[in-house]
């Protein structure tokens, strides 16, 4: 299943609905730049191993390319092209002045020592350094990349920048040199706190999704205490989603990770599941003492009865094969591309509402944008300020999406793409 084809199908559907000019569509269908790199890493046993990585810059009509770096064995160019394209639409849908980019390395991080992971992160970043930069393309974390990895990458980019300045003959004590070196920190977001990171970045993707759920609950007078939630994927996005929604009063009844799922009809203590996963490596290892608790497979978890299904694992999880068996009336996509276009049609036919990835998970890139702004201004905000500003961006983005949905009688996904297309078209036309 080609993820990029799915992305193009979503764009085409929205373009057709809004009657987008074919020249603008042609621009949006193609990434501006594609880079594939191969690089050696010295392993702990003294051998050299070759790794392959990618960086795709989809579009920068609205601002510098922005998007995460994924370290996973199944990464390929098709996936990175899709993710990069979604970033362009996500930033435009949120209304932040950034474009789309994405990167990845084919690697299983669980098989590397910390030292090998550091050398790989630095070597990959050195390869892509000529095309990224704080005003050109700003990577961030994604699956299996962490604040620590972002820190190594920012540090490597700083060293690379200093080397370039020497090659260009820029005096070390000049203002130009000092500015380029200090701006180098802004080359990646998602860094640790105290090393240029922003308050609130870790939880941002989930927090953004939670603000959208809160707005939906206000519109429909939903009482969180009577609302059950299942969270698929228990990494950065999913574990924060379970924690934040539980704090808002929602009843978390199912969670899962790559090893399997846990279901408790009486509710799961999200904080306990987070500590247990940190200690034992998987939610399936957690003790099950609560009411109606049992282990479930990943397939089964998606098909259980609940009021809200939060998808926060990975792409292609709801497909034509299982869409008909989904029972949740509301799906919130914190993962990128978890629902295929065929599945979308089936879910729509069943009256299941999907809050799409490019809207629901845009909290991550929005707070990354805040981090970048804070780095360049050298002025840092509190977590309270970050969350207030995030809410002021994501709730209006959802309301705009809802208005467009009404106007064109289409799905939330189609409306979110139209919302982005209208802003992208304006920016592209100004450059043509
Ligand atoms: P992560 O690596 O921290 O977590 C991924 C989780 O999914 C892990 O717990 C893993 O065990 C689990 N998983 C993998 N396969 C699974 C399966 N078949 N069933 C159930 N669980 C499974 O990654 P993350 O950063 O939380 O990203 C998750 C998704 O959210 C990705 O699609 C990513 O692109 C998207 N996303 C993340 C951010 C962010 O800020 N982290 C922002 C926007 C979008």
């Amino acid at each position: 299943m080609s993820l990029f084809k799915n992305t193009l199908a979503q764009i085409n559907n929205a373009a057709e609905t809004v009657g987008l000019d074919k020249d603008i569509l042609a621009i949006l269908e193609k990434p501006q730049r594609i880079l594939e790199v191969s690089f050696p890493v010295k392993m702990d046993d003294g051998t050299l191993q070759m790794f392959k990585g990618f960086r795709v810059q989809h579009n920068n009509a609205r601002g510098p390319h922005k998007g995460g770096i994924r370290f996973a064995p199944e990464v390929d160019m098709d996936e990175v092209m899709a993710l990069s394209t979604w970033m362009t639409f996500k930033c435009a849908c949120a209304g932040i002045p950034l474009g789309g980019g994405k990167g990845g390395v084919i690697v299983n991080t669980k098989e590397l020592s910390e030292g090998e992971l550091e050398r790989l992160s630095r070597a990959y970043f050195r390869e892509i350094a000529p095309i990224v930069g704080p005003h050109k393309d700003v990577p961030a974390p994604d699956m299996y990349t962490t604040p620590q990895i972002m820190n190594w990458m920012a540090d490597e980019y700083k060293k690379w920048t200093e080397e370039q300045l020497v090659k260009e003959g820029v005096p070390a004590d000049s203002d130009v040199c000092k500015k380029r070196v200090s701006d180098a920190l802004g080359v990646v977001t998602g860094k640790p706190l105290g090393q240029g990171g922003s308050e609130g970045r870790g939880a941002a993707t989930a927090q953004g999704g939670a603000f959208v759920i809160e707005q939906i609950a206000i519109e429909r007078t939903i009482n969180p205490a009577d609302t059950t939630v299942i969270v698929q994927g228990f990494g950065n996005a999913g574990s924060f989603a379970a924690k934040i929604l539980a704090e808002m009063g929602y009843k978390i009844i199912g969670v899962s990770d790559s090893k399997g799922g846990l279901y408790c009809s009486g509710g799961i203590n999200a904080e306990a599941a987070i500590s247990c996963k940190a200690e034992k490596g998987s939610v399936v290892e957690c003790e099950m003492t609560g009411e109606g608790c049992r282990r479930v497979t990943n397939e089964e978890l998606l098909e259980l009865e609940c009021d809200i299904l939060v998808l926060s694992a990975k792409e292609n999880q709801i497909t034509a094969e299982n869409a008909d068996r989904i029972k949740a009336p509301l799906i919130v996509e914190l993962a990128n591309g978890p629902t295929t276009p065929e599945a979308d049609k089936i879910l729509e036919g069943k009256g299941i509402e999907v809050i799409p990835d490019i809207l629901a998970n845009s909290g991550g890139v929005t707070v990354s944008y805040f981090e970048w702004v804070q780095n360049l201004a050298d002025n840092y905000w509190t977590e309270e300020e970050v969350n207030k500003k995030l809410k002021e961006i994501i709730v209006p983005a959802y309301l705009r999406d809802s208005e467009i949905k009404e106007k064109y009688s289409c799905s939330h996904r189609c409306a979110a793409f139209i919302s982005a297309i209208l802003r992208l078209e304006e920016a592209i036309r100004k450059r043509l």
Side-chain angles (χ1 to χ4, degrees):
M1 198 177 307
S2 160
L3 207 58
F4 187 57
K5 270 195 190 150
N6 290 353
T7 318
L8 291 181
Q10 293 167 345
I11 297 171
N12 279 290
N13 181 34
E16 200 178 305
T17 307
V18 76
L20 180 66
D21 179 287
K22 68 174 180 18
D23 292 341
I24 304 291
L25 176 61
I27 291 171
L28 291 172
E29 282 181 324
K30 289 256 184 287
Q32 285 175 327
R33 182 186 278 155
I34 287 175
L35 177 68
E36 180 180 311
V37 295
S38 290
F39 55 92
V41 175
K42 195 165 191 181
M43 309 307 280
D44 288 348
D45 64 5
T47 60
L48 275 188
Q49 199 172 314
M50 290 302 293
F51 290 88
K52 189 187 268 189
F54 311 94
R55 184 77 193 165
V56 175
Q57 298 176 330
H58 175 260
N59 191 283
N60 64 356
R62 286 180 43 84
H65 301 279
K66 183 90 194 79
I69 293 171
R70 181 174 284 196
F71 283 179
E74 63 278 2
V75 164
D76 62 22
M77 183 59 95
D78 178 83
E79 180 180 276
V80 181
M81 279 167 65
L83 292 162
S84 170
T85 308
W86 278 322
M87 286 307 298
T88 300
F89 285 83
K90 193 180 299 184
C91 293
C93 180
I96 55 178
L98 294 168
K102 202 84 184 189
V105 176
I106 305 171
V107 60
N108 184 350
T109 55
K110 290 174 187 162
E111 290 171 359
L112 300 185
S113 69
E114 206 194 355
E116 289 168 341
L117 186 60
E118 175 174 356
R119 292 193 289 280
L120 176 130
S121 304
R122 288 182 182 275
Y124 164 71
F125 213 77
R126 200 160 259 276
E127 290 299 327
I128 67 166
I131 67 159
V132 299
H135 301 284
K136 281 198 282 190
D137 181 358
V138 185
D142 193 72
M143 285 176 77
Y144 302 109
T145 48
T146 60
Q148 172 63 77
I149 291 174
M150 294 304 118
N151 205 29
W152 290 327
M153 290 177 171
D155 184 57
E156 196 60 33
Y157 184 76
K158 184 167 164 271
K159 284 185 194 157
W160 182 87
T161 303
E162 284 162 350
E163 287 163 23
Q164 297 307 304
L165 287 161
V166 170
K167 279 187 201 156
E168 290 166 28
V170 182
D173 58 353
S174 67
D175 288 347
V176 173
C177 183
K178 285 180 197 155
K179 174 100 176 81
R180 272 174 63 187
V181 173
S182 83
D183 277 3
L185 189 66
V187 72
V188 290
T189 57
K191 298 179 291 293
L193 281 175
Q195 272 138 341
S198 174
E199 293 285 352
R201 176 60 185 90
T205 303
Q207 185 62 69
F211 283 140
V212 173
I213 292 175
E214 186 181 53
Q215 180 62 29
I216 293 173
I218 293 168
E219 287 168 5
R220 301 177 199 177
T221 48
I222 290 171
N223 178 12
D226 303 328
T227 309
T228 55
V229 179
I230 288 180
V231 181
Q232 186 212 26
F234 212 64
N236 176 282
S239 61
F240 274 115
K243 180 174 179 283
I244 294 168
L245 291 173
E247 282 166 2
M248 287 163 68
Y250 289 90
K251 189 171 165 188
I252 312 297
I253 58 166
V255 294
S256 67
D257 59 33
S258 59
K259 301 220 170 86
L262 188 60
Y263 171 79
C264 293
S265 58
I268 291 170
N269 179 330
E271 294 266 18
I274 291 170
S275 333
C276 155
K277 180 164 164 84
E279 190 194 326
K280 299 185 175 164
S282 169
V283 293
V284 293
E285 302 298 335
C286 302
E287 226 178 286
M288 297 185 300
T289 49
E291 187 193 323
C293 282
R294 62 188 168 95
R295 294 210 164 86
V296 289
T297 64
N298 283 333
E299 295 70 37
E300 208 185 329
L301 181 104
L302 296 175
E303 298 168 17
L304 293 168
E305 299 256 7
C306 65
D307 298 309
I308 306 176
L309 175 60
V310 179
L311 300 175
S312 35
K314 55 183 190 175
E315 59 275 358
N316 294 339
Q317 295 302 293
I318 303 191
T319 65
E321 196 280 314
N322 63 355
D324 204 33
R325 298 193 295 278
I326 304 297
K327 298 184 191 72
L330 177 64
I331 294 174
V332 177
E333 295 183 333
L334 293 188
N336 284 308
T339 313
T340 66
E342 297 77 23
D344 259 342
K345 286 194 194 120
I346 298 169
L347 296 176
E348 216 176 327
K350 281 164 65 87
I352 294 177
E353 200 174 349
V354 180
I355 308 298
D357 46 10
I358 63 164
L359 172 67
N361 73 28
S362 63
V365 72
T366 301
V367 177
S368 270
Y369 162 58
F370 295 162
E371 180 177 331
W372 178 70
V373 169
Q374 291 170 82
N375 288 161
L376 296 183
D378 200 14
N379 176 5
Y380 290 83
W381 309 338
T382 63
E383 186 173 359
E384 206 179 19
E385 284 173 292
V386 167
N387 285 338
K388 183 172 172 282
K389 288 178 203 284
L390 168 60
K391 191 171 178 179
E392 284 166 2
I393 286 186
I394 203 161
V395 172
Y398 165 76
L399 295 174
R400 174 177 154 103
D401 174 89
S402 300
E403 262 175 41
I404 294 173
K405 178 178 180 287
E406 199 68 29
K407 180 172 173 191
Y408 291 96
S409 300
C410 66
S411 68
H412 271 297
R413 189 181 315 281
C414 180
F417 271 89
I418 292 176
S419 169
I421 280 173
L422 297 174
R423 287 178 171 147
L424 285 161
E425 181 179 16
E426 195 189 347
I428 292 168
R429 283 204 187 282
K430 283 188 181 143
R431 287 175 155 200
L432 287 176

